[in-house]
Amino acid sequence: MNNKELHYKRLLREYDLKRSKAYQEQMNRQNEIYDKIPRIKAIDNELSQTGIKLVRSMMTSPQGGSLESFRNQSDELIRTKKMLLVENGYSPDYLENQYDCNLCKDTGFIDAKPCSCFKQGLINIAYEQSNLKHILNKENFNSFSLKYYSQKADVKTGLSPYDNMLKIKQICVGLIEKFDIEKENLLLTGQTGLGKTFLCNCIAKELLDRGYTVLYFTAPQLFKLFEESRFHREDMQDESKDLLSTLFNVDLLIIDDLGTESISTVTISDLFNVINSRYLNQTSTIISTNLPFGQMQERYSERIVSRIIGHYTLLKFFGEDIRKLKKYMQFS
Protein backbone atom coordinates (compact mmCIF):
# COMPACT_ATOMS: atom_id res chain seq x y z
CA MET A 1 0.00 0.00 0.00
CA ASN A 2 1.50 3.35 -1.02
CA ASN A 3 1.66 6.53 1.00
CA LYS A 4 -1.41 8.18 -0.52
CA GLU A 5 -3.54 5.10 0.14
CA LEU A 6 -2.43 5.08 3.77
CA HIS A 7 -3.32 8.76 4.10
CA TYR A 8 -6.71 8.10 2.47
CA LYS A 9 -7.57 5.23 4.83
CA ARG A 10 -6.41 7.18 7.86
CA LEU A 11 -8.64 10.12 6.92
CA LEU A 12 -11.66 7.87 6.34
CA ARG A 13 -11.21 6.50 9.87
CA GLU A 14 -10.99 10.04 11.22
CA TYR A 15 -14.28 10.94 9.51
CA ASP A 16 -15.95 7.84 10.98
CA LEU A 17 -14.77 8.83 14.44
CA LYS A 18 -15.87 12.41 13.86
CA ARG A 19 -19.41 11.35 12.95
CA SER A 20 -19.62 8.95 15.92
CA LYS A 21 -18.47 11.69 18.26
CA ALA A 22 -20.96 14.19 16.79
CA TYR A 23 -23.81 11.71 17.17
CA GLN A 24 -22.93 11.02 20.81
CA GLU A 25 -22.74 14.75 21.53
CA GLN A 26 -26.15 15.21 19.92
CA MET A 27 -27.61 12.46 22.13
CA ASN A 28 -26.11 14.14 25.20
CA ARG A 29 -27.68 17.46 24.25
CA GLN A 30 -31.00 15.75 23.62
CA ASN A 31 -30.98 14.07 27.05
CA GLU A 32 -30.12 17.40 28.63
CA ILE A 33 -33.04 19.16 26.93
CA TYR A 34 -35.50 16.34 27.60
CA ASP A 35 -34.71 16.62 31.33
CA LYS A 36 -34.95 20.39 31.39
CA ILE A 37 -37.82 20.91 28.90
CA PRO A 38 -40.08 17.80 28.92
CA ARG A 39 -42.45 19.46 26.44
CA ILE A 40 -39.75 19.11 23.74
CA LYS A 41 -39.53 15.36 24.32
CA ALA A 42 -43.29 15.19 23.88
CA ILE A 43 -43.02 17.19 20.64
CA ASP A 44 -40.35 14.81 19.29
CA ASN A 45 -42.56 11.84 20.10
CA GLU A 46 -45.46 13.56 18.36
CA LEU A 47 -43.30 14.29 15.30
CA SER A 48 -42.30 10.64 15.18
CA GLN A 49 -45.92 9.54 15.34
CA THR A 50 -46.88 12.08 12.70
CA GLY A 51 -44.33 10.58 10.31
CA ILE A 52 -45.60 7.08 10.93
CA LYS A 53 -49.18 8.20 10.33
CA LEU A 54 -48.14 9.87 7.07
CA VAL A 55 -46.51 6.70 5.76
CA ARG A 56 -49.57 4.61 6.67
CA SER A 57 -51.89 7.14 5.07
CA MET A 58 -49.94 7.19 1.81
CA MET A 59 -49.89 3.38 1.72
CA THR A 60 -53.65 3.08 2.16
CA SER A 61 -54.58 6.12 0.08
CA PRO A 62 -51.73 7.23 -2.23
CA GLN A 63 -53.95 9.83 -3.86
CA GLY A 64 -55.14 11.25 -0.55
CA GLY A 65 -54.75 14.91 0.24
CA SER A 66 -53.31 14.41 3.71
CA LEU A 67 -49.67 15.19 2.79
CA GLU A 68 -50.09 18.94 3.03
CA SER A 69 -51.93 18.63 6.34
CA PHE A 70 -49.19 16.47 7.84
CA ARG A 71 -46.53 18.88 6.57
CA ASN A 72 -48.28 21.85 8.16
CA GLN A 73 -48.68 19.95 11.42
CA SER A 74 -44.98 19.00 11.47
CA ASP A 75 -43.87 22.55 10.66
CA GLU A 76 -45.93 23.90 13.54
CA LEU A 77 -44.44 21.38 15.96
CA ILE A 78 -40.89 22.23 14.83
CA ARG A 79 -41.56 25.96 15.25
CA THR A 80 -42.88 25.36 18.77
CA LYS A 81 -39.83 23.25 19.60
CA LYS A 82 -37.41 25.97 18.44
CA MET A 83 -39.36 28.63 20.31
CA LEU A 84 -39.09 26.59 23.53
CA LEU A 85 -35.34 26.23 23.04
CA VAL A 86 -34.88 29.99 22.58
CA GLU A 87 -37.11 30.82 25.54
CA ASN A 88 -34.87 28.63 27.71
CA GLY A 89 -31.64 30.25 26.53
CA TYR A 90 -30.60 27.79 23.79
CA SER A 91 -30.00 28.34 20.11
CA PRO A 92 -32.86 27.10 17.86
CA ASP A 93 -30.56 24.48 16.29
CA TYR A 94 -29.16 23.21 19.61
CA LEU A 95 -30.58 19.71 19.12
CA GLU A 96 -29.39 19.36 15.55
CA ASN A 97 -26.20 17.53 14.61
CA GLN A 98 -23.26 19.95 14.68
CA TYR A 99 -21.01 19.30 11.68
CA ASP A 100 -17.46 20.51 11.12
CA CYS A 101 -18.36 20.72 7.42
CA ASN A 102 -21.94 21.53 6.53
CA LEU A 103 -21.28 20.83 2.85
CA CYS A 104 -20.71 17.08 3.22
CA LYS A 105 -22.07 16.71 6.78
CA ASP A 106 -18.75 15.18 7.81
CA THR A 107 -18.97 12.30 5.36
CA GLY A 108 -16.05 13.66 3.35
CA PHE A 109 -17.94 13.28 0.08
CA ILE A 110 -20.53 15.08 -2.01
CA ASP A 111 -22.19 13.02 -4.76
CA ALA A 112 -19.46 10.37 -4.42
CA LYS A 113 -16.74 12.99 -4.98
CA PRO A 114 -14.29 14.12 -2.25
CA CYS A 115 -15.44 17.26 -0.48
CA SER A 116 -13.07 20.23 -0.22
CA CYS A 117 -12.66 19.45 3.50
CA PHE A 118 -11.52 15.90 2.67
CA LYS A 119 -8.98 17.18 0.14
CA GLN A 120 -7.66 19.63 2.72
CA GLY A 121 -7.48 16.81 5.26
CA LEU A 122 -5.21 14.82 2.95
CA ILE A 123 -2.99 17.88 2.53
CA ASN A 124 -2.83 18.37 6.32
CA ILE A 125 -1.73 14.76 6.83
CA ALA A 126 0.93 15.16 4.15
CA TYR A 127 2.18 18.28 5.95
CA GLU A 128 2.42 16.40 9.24
CA GLN A 129 4.52 13.65 7.70
CA SER A 130 6.75 15.94 5.66
CA ASN A 131 8.80 17.18 8.69
CA LEU A 132 8.11 20.71 7.40
CA LYS A 133 4.80 21.67 8.97
CA HIS A 134 5.93 24.86 10.74
CA ILE A 135 8.86 26.11 8.68
CA LEU A 136 6.81 26.38 5.47
CA ASN A 137 4.72 29.17 6.96
CA LYS A 138 7.85 31.32 6.70
CA GLU A 139 9.83 29.80 3.85
CA ASN A 140 7.80 29.74 0.65
CA PHE A 141 7.63 31.47 -2.73
CA ASN A 142 5.57 34.31 -1.22
CA SER A 143 8.49 35.24 1.02
CA PHE A 144 11.19 34.39 -1.54
CA SER A 145 13.14 37.48 -2.60
CA LEU A 146 15.93 38.13 -5.10
CA LYS A 147 16.96 41.39 -3.45
CA TYR A 148 19.79 39.71 -1.55
CA TYR A 149 21.51 38.54 -4.75
CA SER A 150 24.03 40.81 -6.42
CA GLN A 151 23.45 41.91 -10.02
CA LYS A 152 27.18 42.18 -10.60
CA ALA A 153 28.34 39.54 -13.10
CA ASP A 154 30.56 36.73 -11.86
CA VAL A 155 34.00 36.73 -13.53
CA LYS A 156 34.03 32.97 -14.19
CA THR A 157 30.50 32.47 -15.45
CA GLY A 158 29.62 35.92 -16.79
CA LEU A 159 26.34 35.54 -14.91
CA SER A 160 25.32 37.57 -11.88
CA PRO A 161 24.08 35.80 -8.72
CA TYR A 162 20.76 37.59 -9.31
CA ASP A 163 20.33 36.23 -12.87
CA ASN A 164 21.54 32.81 -11.80
CA MET A 165 19.02 32.65 -8.97
CA LEU A 166 16.24 33.86 -11.25
CA LYS A 167 17.09 31.04 -13.66
CA ILE A 168 17.17 28.49 -10.83
CA LYS A 169 13.80 29.68 -9.55
CA GLN A 170 12.29 29.29 -13.02
CA ILE A 171 13.58 25.70 -13.23
CA CYS A 172 12.06 24.94 -9.82
CA VAL A 173 8.73 26.46 -10.79
CA GLY A 174 8.85 24.39 -13.99
CA LEU A 175 9.36 21.23 -11.94
CA ILE A 176 6.24 22.07 -9.93
CA GLU A 177 4.08 22.92 -12.94
CA LYS A 178 4.88 19.71 -14.84
CA PHE A 179 5.07 17.47 -11.77
CA ASP A 180 1.97 15.57 -12.87
CA ILE A 181 3.54 14.37 -16.11
CA GLU A 182 7.30 14.50 -15.53
CA LYS A 183 9.23 13.61 -12.39
CA GLU A 184 12.47 15.61 -12.35
CA ASN A 185 15.40 15.25 -9.94
CA LEU A 186 17.48 18.22 -8.79
CA LEU A 187 20.95 18.56 -7.27
CA LEU A 188 21.44 21.95 -5.56
CA THR A 189 25.11 22.74 -4.95
CA GLY A 190 26.94 25.73 -3.48
CA GLN A 191 28.32 27.17 -0.27
CA THR A 192 26.20 27.60 2.85
CA GLY A 193 23.82 30.53 3.15
CA LEU A 194 22.93 30.85 -0.54
CA GLY A 195 19.30 29.76 -0.29
CA LYS A 196 19.39 26.05 -1.17
CA THR A 197 17.32 24.92 1.82
CA PHE A 198 14.94 27.86 1.43
CA LEU A 199 14.25 26.93 -2.18
CA CYS A 200 13.73 23.26 -1.24
CA ASN A 201 11.08 24.43 1.23
CA CYS A 202 9.42 26.60 -1.41
CA ILE A 203 9.06 23.60 -3.72
CA ALA A 204 7.82 21.42 -0.86
CA LYS A 205 5.05 23.84 0.10
CA GLU A 206 3.78 24.24 -3.46
CA LEU A 207 3.57 20.47 -3.98
CA LEU A 208 2.01 19.82 -0.56
CA ASP A 209 -0.62 22.46 -1.28
CA ARG A 210 -1.42 20.67 -4.54
CA GLY A 211 -2.00 17.38 -2.74
CA TYR A 212 1.31 15.63 -3.38
CA THR A 213 3.25 13.85 -0.65
CA VAL A 214 6.62 15.29 0.37
CA LEU A 215 9.21 14.06 2.85
CA TYR A 216 12.10 16.22 4.06
CA PHE A 217 15.25 15.01 5.80
CA THR A 218 18.52 16.64 6.63
CA ALA A 219 21.32 14.23 5.72
CA PRO A 220 22.14 13.57 9.42
CA GLN A 221 18.48 12.70 10.09
CA LEU A 222 18.36 10.36 7.12
CA PHE A 223 21.59 8.56 7.94
CA LYS A 224 20.50 8.19 11.56
CA LEU A 225 17.37 6.46 10.25
CA PHE A 226 19.55 4.17 8.13
CA GLU A 227 21.64 3.26 11.19
CA GLU A 228 18.57 2.58 13.33
CA SER A 229 17.10 0.29 10.68
CA ARG A 230 20.37 -1.60 10.36
CA PHE A 231 21.41 -1.99 13.97
CA HIS A 232 18.41 -1.19 16.20
CA ARG A 233 15.36 -2.09 14.13
CA GLU A 234 13.66 -3.93 16.99
CA ASP A 235 13.85 -0.72 19.08
CA MET A 236 12.59 1.62 16.35
CA GLN A 237 9.41 3.58 16.96
CA ASP A 238 6.50 2.84 14.62
CA GLU A 239 6.77 6.38 13.27
CA SER A 240 10.41 5.77 12.24
CA LYS A 241 9.46 2.51 10.56
CA ASP A 242 6.73 4.30 8.62
CA LEU A 243 9.20 6.97 7.51
CA LEU A 244 11.64 4.31 6.36
CA SER A 245 9.06 2.69 4.08
CA THR A 246 7.85 6.09 2.90
CA LEU A 247 11.32 6.96 1.57
CA PHE A 248 10.75 4.81 -1.51
CA ASN A 249 7.29 5.92 -2.65
CA VAL A 250 6.70 9.49 -1.43
CA ASP A 251 6.08 11.82 -4.39
CA LEU A 252 9.03 14.06 -3.50
CA LEU A 253 11.95 13.24 -1.22
CA ILE A 254 14.23 16.10 -0.14
CA ILE A 255 17.68 15.27 1.25
CA ASP A 256 19.14 18.50 2.59
CA ASP A 257 22.81 19.21 3.42
CA LEU A 258 24.24 15.98 2.04
CA GLY A 259 27.82 15.78 3.25
CA THR A 260 27.18 16.89 6.83
CA GLU A 261 26.35 13.37 8.05
CA SER A 262 28.51 10.64 9.54
CA ILE A 263 28.88 7.83 7.02
CA SER A 264 29.79 4.18 6.90
CA THR A 265 29.88 1.55 4.18
CA VAL A 266 26.42 0.28 5.05
CA THR A 267 24.77 3.71 5.21
CA ILE A 268 26.28 4.65 1.85
CA SER A 269 24.77 1.43 0.50
CA ASP A 270 21.39 2.45 1.96
CA LEU A 271 21.67 5.87 0.33
CA PHE A 272 22.32 4.28 -3.06
CA ASN A 273 19.34 1.97 -2.53
CA VAL A 274 17.03 4.94 -1.90
CA ILE A 275 18.36 7.01 -4.82
CA ASN A 276 18.33 4.09 -7.23
CA SER A 277 14.91 2.77 -6.18
CA ARG A 278 13.35 6.20 -6.50
CA TYR A 279 14.87 6.58 -9.97
CA LEU A 280 13.44 3.20 -11.01
CA ASN A 281 10.06 4.08 -9.45
CA GLN A 282 10.08 7.40 -11.32
CA THR A 283 9.62 9.48 -8.19
CA SER A 284 11.30 12.86 -7.71
CA THR A 285 14.25 13.53 -5.42
CA ILE A 286 15.95 16.81 -4.55
CA ILE A 287 19.40 16.79 -2.95
CA SER A 288 21.22 19.84 -1.64
CA THR A 289 24.91 19.81 -0.74
CA ASN A 290 27.83 22.12 -0.02
CA LEU A 291 30.21 19.60 -1.59
CA PRO A 292 31.64 20.07 -5.09
CA PHE A 293 31.58 16.99 -7.35
CA GLY A 294 35.21 16.16 -6.61
CA GLN A 295 34.54 15.81 -2.89
CA MET A 296 31.31 13.92 -3.52
CA GLN A 297 33.24 11.33 -5.52
CA GLU A 298 35.75 10.97 -2.69
CA ARG A 299 33.08 10.67 -0.01
CA TYR A 300 30.47 8.46 -1.69
CA SER A 301 30.56 5.46 -4.00
CA GLU A 302 31.05 5.89 -7.72
CA ARG A 303 27.60 4.35 -8.24
CA ILE A 304 25.91 7.14 -6.29
CA VAL A 305 27.74 9.98 -7.99
CA SER A 306 27.20 8.38 -11.40
CA ARG A 307 23.47 8.01 -10.77
CA ILE A 308 23.22 11.64 -9.67
CA ILE A 309 25.25 13.00 -12.62
CA GLY A 310 23.21 10.99 -15.09
CA HIS A 311 19.71 11.64 -13.79
CA TYR A 312 19.71 14.92 -11.84
CA THR A 313 19.53 18.49 -13.07
CA LEU A 314 22.48 20.38 -11.56
CA LEU A 315 21.73 23.82 -10.10
CA LYS A 316 24.82 25.72 -8.95
CA PHE A 317 24.34 28.49 -6.37
CA PHE A 318 26.91 31.25 -5.94
CA GLY A 319 27.10 34.72 -4.41
CA GLU A 320 27.30 36.16 -0.90
CA ASP A 321 26.01 34.46 2.25
CA ILE A 322 22.32 35.48 2.45
CA ARG A 323 22.12 34.89 6.19
CA LYS A 324 24.97 37.31 6.82
CA LEU A 325 23.47 39.87 4.45
CA LYS A 326 20.11 39.69 6.23
CA LYS A 327 21.75 40.26 9.61
CA TYR A 328 23.80 43.13 8.23
CA MET A 329 20.71 44.77 6.69
CA GLN A 330 18.78 44.24 9.93
CA PHE A 331 21.33 46.07 12.09
CA SER A 332 22.61 48.64 9.60
Side-chain angles (χ1 to χ4, degrees), residues 162-320:
Y162 179 96
D163 291 332
N164 181 61
M165 199 60 197
L166 181 60
K167 181 180 178 182
I168 287 174
K169 180 186 176 184
Q170 290 170 344
I171 292 172
C172 293
V173 171
L175 176 146
I176 295 164
E177 294 303 326
K178 60 187 178 184
F179 200 80
D180 233 359
I181 57 175
E182 184 179 340
K183 299 299 184 284
E184 188 175 358
N185 303 308
L186 301 179
L187 177 66
L188 282 52
T189 68
Q191 296 300 311
T192 59
L194 296 178
K196 300 188 297 298
T197 299
F198 194 106
L199 200 53
C200 286
N201 292 340
C202 291
I203 296 170
K205 176 169 173 55
E206 287 297 318
L207 291 178
L208 284 166
D209 286 348
R210 296 181 187 209
Y212 295 102
T213 55
V214 177
L215 192 58
Y216 170 95
F217 280 103
T218 63
Q221 289 173 335
L222 180 60
F223 277 69
K224 181 181 178 182
L225 189 64
F226 289 155
E227 289 178 357
E228 288 179 356
S229 69
R230 286 278 187 172
F231 306 114
H232 308 286
R233 194 175 187 93
E234 66 280 0
D235 299 323
M236 288 179 71
Q237 300 290 327
D238 288 341
E239 182 180 355
S240 295
K241 291 179 181 178
D242 290 342
L243 286 174
L244 192 64
S245 62
T246 300
L247 285 173
F248 297 94
N249 54 44
V250 67
D251 292 328
L252 174 65
L253 173 65
I254 298 173
I255 305 173
D256 197 17
D257 277 340
L258 188 68
T260 59
E261 73 289 338
S262 299
I263 62 171
S264 66
T265 304
V266 291
T267 52
I268 287 177
S269 175
D270 287 334
L271 177 63
F272 175 77
N273 185 31
V274 169
I275 290 175
N276 190 55
S277 296
R278 291 186 61 78
Y279 164 69
L280 295 176
N281 294 338
Q282 297 184 340
T283 46
S284 286
T285 307
I286 297 177
I287 299 173
S288 81
T289 181
N290 302 334
L291 300 176
F293 265 118
Q295 291 184 32
M296 286 185 68
Q297 288 174 332
E298 292 175 6
R299 184 175 176 86
Y300 305 104
S301 70
E302 181 64 31
R303 292 192 306 168
I304 290 178
V305 177
S306 175
R307 182 66 77 200
I308 291 173
I309 291 174
H311 301 289
Y312 283 62
T313 299
L314 174 62
L315 302 179
K316 292 184 178 180
F317 289 61
F318 59 85
E320 296 183 63

Side-chain angles (χ1 to χ4, degrees), residues 31-79:
N31 291 334
E32 173 196 350
I33 293 300
Y34 282 0
D35 287 341
K36 188 172 182 178
I37 317 172
R39 172 63 180 137
I40 288 182
K41 182 178 182 180
I43 288 175
D44 281 346
N45 289 335
E46 192 172 349
L47 282 168
S48 177
Q49 290 301 315
T50 298
I52 293 172
K53 290 178 182 178
L54 174 60
V55 172
R56 287 175 178 170
S57 173
M58 294 186 68
M59 290 178 65
T60 57
S61 179
Q63 304 301 321
S66 59
L67 178 59
E68 188 65 29
S69 173
F70 278 115
R71 182 181 290 126
N72 291 336
Q73 184 181 355
S74 295
D75 288 346
E76 181 60 32
L77 287 170
I78 291 171
R79 280 194 294 270

